[in-house]
Every structure is written in structure tokens, then in C-alpha cells.
Amino acid sequence: MLNKGRLEEELFTFLAEKRSRDLEYDYILSSMCTIPHSVAVRAHCMFMETNLGDPGLFPGTLSLEQLLISRFATLFHCPQAGGYATSGGTESNIQALRLAKVHRSDCVLPNIIVPDSAHFSFKKACDILGLEMRRVPLKKDFRMDADLAAEQIDKNTVALVGVAGTTEYGMVDPIADLAKIACQHDLFFHIDAAFGGMVIPFLENPPPFDFAVPGVTSIAVDPHKMGMSTIPCGCLLTRDPDLFSSLNIETPYLTVKKEFTLAGTRPGAPVAGALAVMDYLGFDGMTAVVSGCMKNTGRLIAGMETFGIPRAATPDVNVATFICDKSRVQGPWKVSWTCKKHLRIVCMPHVHGGRIEAFIKDIGEIHA
Ligand code: 0PR
């Protein structure tokens, strides 16, 4: 710590210099986050000092959190579902598996079944919770193989996980088939829709992924990804709102006597931001955003294919992947590469049509 404080202007010059070293979103094609919507920023600023960790002090903010959850519950076809706002997909996935584990306290060596495409947050969750992670191979179309998933289940399996919008290839697992398997074995079935939860409901032909499918127990969805809220904002929902009570611990000196969340102090600002975007855009506005992102994804795939750079997958959501040599991507573009060495581009809302055309043009020039 500095002995003496710093002059404010000098301090902010220092901060501005640091900030200027961050990349601008213009050339970022690898991120699942985006520039927050202006109404999210405005709402975030209004709620800056609110703490959902002591909700009795902030009943207004708490009611916004409840409203956000009820908006998602309705969007996901189960208006009575319960839930809370997390810091993002990682926390939601940890808490979902924690719920699954406490319901099977009889298990000495509990395991979970995840697709090979599962996000690395499941590895963290398994480390923390002492769960064995059984990975199921994908089919050629990059979706989880439901038959192989069924083969891995045994009496110590506490949860089955499906992904709706995979991180690397943007695929939706066969949720309806997996749900049947989960029902047969009376398993907790968690859907990681951290990315896809704010995309799939707005597609022209949405594949089944939510509580409309009998057997789906919980869903993770992140407003700070396609929901264009400020960071950090995730949500975890359960079909049965009472499920969370199994995680309650006593909090003697707070305004509430119990809490089931993982974090203690929790920001209200991004929650207000998330709800603001949802209510500002409504279903029609969100449909327009998603339809733009999907159109750009299609345009990118078509453009790359004219240069003989084929798609690696035909995605369900706005993630495009290509069989492409690393040397073909040059310049300021920030792209990512999957474990299988495919070029990966996420067509987030900031990656608008002009950006896609500029990228295709650059690739074309390198190709020529
Ligand atoms: N589940 C899925 C399907 C995800 O794609 C992610 C993150 C998570 C869970 C975890 O979410 P949190 O990171 O919110 O805890 N997916 C991106 C990834 O890891 C996150 C990301 C965002 C990465 C922006 C880079 C970046 O610039 O690739």
C-alpha cells in the first residue's frame, strides 16, 4: 500500500493508461462476452452499492433478482421454477452439482456423466465437490452420444449433464434423449445453457433444451454472455424451487437467517443490468439480436467456404468453426482454436456484419 495517497487526476491518468492497453472489442472474435447494452450500463450504475448477500437491506434489488429469475423461468417453460443470480456459468455449474450431490448423500464415491464438450468449469466443480467426472465421447456431429452416456451410468451416478450451446462448437446435445435416460435412472439432469440459454429460445426452430422437456432438473444461463448485461451475471434455475433449501446454512447476523448461495457478498448491479436489457428489448428485440448473430454466422461460414476453408461443424448457435491452417489468420483479429485445432469464431452482437465482411476480406487476401 502507498504511504501517502495519490492525487486523483494523476491516479486516473495511471488507470487510463492501463485501460488503454486492453483490447477493444472491434477485433475480438473469440469471446463469449460482448459490449454490454447501454441500458445494462445505466442500470448497473444505479445499483452499484447494492449487495444481494444481505437482501434484507436491499429489498428492491432482491425483487429485481426474483423478477429476473421469473423471466427466465417463463422463457424456459416453467413459470414456477426457482433460482438465483450467480457470478456466471462456473458458479451455476458448481451449485447445480452441489444440489445433485446432497440429494444422494448415500453415495460414497459419487460420479457425474458429462459430454466430452463440457466446459472446464465442470472439472473445477468435480475437484471441489469430490466427484468423479466421466466424459462421454461426442458423435461425428459434435453432440453427446446418448447411448454411450447411458452405458456409463451406475449406482453411484448422481448427475447427468447436457450442454445447450457448447463452448467450442456451438452444438446442442440431444437433450430429449438424455432426459429419457435421466428419468429411467431417476437422475438429476443439469443443462449447461450458459451460452445457449439466451440464444436457443429466440431461434426459428429451437431444439428442445429447457424445462419443457420432462426430466430436466436445472438450467444454467448467463446474461453476461448473449444477454448483453454487465459482468458478472449468471443464473441457476431449478424446476423445483424448493430444491435449494437443501443447501441452506445458517447466517445468524444477517437480515436473513439462511442462505444457499455459494458467494456471500453478491453484486446487485449486473442483476439490474440483466433485467434492464431483457425488459428493454423484450422477446421481439432479443429475437432480432439473435437472428442478426445467426445470419452473420451463416454469412461467415459461406464466405470462408468460398475460399476452400470448410466448416468443422454446422452449429446450432452462433459459434462458427473451420478446418483452417493457423497461418491463414493474420492481422489484428483475435480468434481462438479448439482442442481439435479448428479455427473458432463466436459471432457475438459486437461482431456485426461489417466486421464479418472485413474478416472475410482479410482471409481472402491471405488466401490469394
Ligand atoms: N458453460 C459454458 C457452456 C461456457 O461456454 C462457459 C464459458 C461457462 C460455462 C463458464 O462461464 P463463466 O466463464 O461465466 O463462469 N465460456 C467461455 C469460455 O470459457 C467464457 C469466455 C468468455 C471465454 C469470454 C473467453 C472470453 O473472452 O470460452
Side-chain angles (χ1 to χ4, degrees), residues 40 153 158 177 207 218 246 269 337 367:
I153 296 168
V158 300
D177 296 343
S218 59
S246 59
W337 301 89
H367 183 60

Side-chain angles (χ1 to χ4, degrees), residues 31-33 88-90 93 119-121 165 167 192 194 222 224-225:
S31 178
M32 287 192 151
C33 290
T90 301
N93 289 335
H119 184 257
F120 51 76
S121 49
T167 312
D192 180 357
D222 284 358
H224 72 203
K225 295 188 167 74

Side-chain angles (χ1 to χ4, degrees), residues 25 28 30-34 87-93 117-122 124 163-168 192-196 220 222 224-225 231-234 344 346:
Y25 267 107
I28 300 181
S30 57
S31 178
M32 287 192 151
C33 290
T34 192
S87 58
T90 301
E91 182 181 336
S92 300
N93 289 335
S117 55
H119 184 257
F120 51 76
S121 49
F122 287 99
K124 298 182 189 178
V163 185
T166 59
T167 312
E168 286 200 323
D192 180 357
F195 186 75
D222 284 358
H224 72 203
K225 295 188 167 74
I231 296 173
C233 189
R344 166 182 174 269
V346 191

Side-chain angles (χ1 to χ4, degrees), residues 120-325:
F120 51 76
S121 49
F122 287 99
K123 172 93 179 54
K124 298 182 189 178
C126 287
D127 280 351
I128 295 168
L129 296 166
L131 299 168
E132 180 203 340
M133 189 164 81
R134 297 189 175 170
R135 303 179 82 111
V136 177
L138 308 182
K139 288 189 154 179
K140 281 210 178 67
D141 63 4
F142 293 94
R143 295 189 181 92
M144 187 184 200
D145 188 320
D147 295 332
L148 295 183
E151 282 174 21
Q152 299 245 31
I153 296 168
D154 65 20
K155 64 178 185 354
N156 290 323
T157 302
V158 300
L160 175 64
V161 172
V163 185
T166 59
T167 312
E168 286 200 323
Y169 292 92
M171 304 310 297
V172 178
D173 283 329
I175 303 301
D177 296 343
L178 293 165
K180 277 189 205 131
I181 296 166
C183 288
Q184 278 159 13
H185 294 83
D186 197 19
L187 278 180
F188 190 110
F189 183 30
H190 174 61
I191 307 297
D192 180 357
F195 186 75
M198 278 298 268
V199 179
I200 303 163
F202 310 103
L203 294 174
E204 266 171 45
N205 294 307
F209 83 105
D210 63 13
F211 295 122
V213 182
V216 169
T217 316
S218 59
I219 302 177
V221 56
D222 284 358
H224 72 203
K225 295 188 167 74
M226 279 296 288
M228 296 171 288
S229 77
T230 48
I231 296 173
C233 189
C235 290
L236 175 63
L237 284 94
T238 54
R239 182 190 295 274
D240 171 5
D242 296 330
L243 221 52
F244 284 103
S245 61
S246 59
L247 299 183
N248 270 334
I249 53 133
E250 285 175 23
T251 52
Y253 49 81
L254 297 186
T255 51
V256 283
K257 296 296 150 223
K258 289 177 228 155
E259 84 180 17
F260 55 76
T261 55
L262 187 58
T265 303
R266 294 190 299 126
V271 172
L275 185 83
V277 181
M278 254 199 178
D279 281 13
Y280 178 76
L281 293 177
F283 191 88
D284 291 350
M286 224 19 242
T287 303
V289 170
V290 167
S291 129
C293 293
M294 292 306 291
K295 204 174 125 231
N296 289 336
T297 308
R299 166 70 189 121
L300 177 62
I301 292 174
M304 294 289 272
E305 290 189 337
T306 59
F307 302 134
I309 302 173
R311 73 190 81 182
T314 299
D316 295 315
V317 299
N318 42 324
V319 180
T321 49
F322 301 94
I323 303 167
C324 176
D325 194 82

Side-chain angles (χ1 to χ4, degrees), residues 35-112:
I35 304 168
H37 195 288
S38 57
V39 303
V41 176
R42 188 171 166 192
H44 188 108
C45 293
M46 265 177 87
F47 287 78
M48 205 72 97
E49 68 266 39
T50 62
N51 171 21
L52 287 166
D54 203 356
L57 303 182
F58 303 99
T61 311
L62 174 65
S63 70
L64 281 187
E65 181 184 26
Q66 289 162 344
L67 199 54
L68 179 66
I69 294 299
S70 83
R71 293 269 192 274
F72 273 121
T74 306
L75 186 67
F76 295 163
H77 303 103
C78 182
Q80 75 281 6
Y84 81 101
T86 66
S87 58
T90 301
E91 182 181 336
S92 300
N93 289 335
I94 293 171
Q95 285 283 87
L97 295 186
R98 209 176 146 210
L99 283 171
K101 190 185 167 185
V102 296
H103 282 273
R104 289 289 309 277
S105 50
D106 55 304
C107 275
V108 186
L109 291 168
N111 68 68
I112 63 156

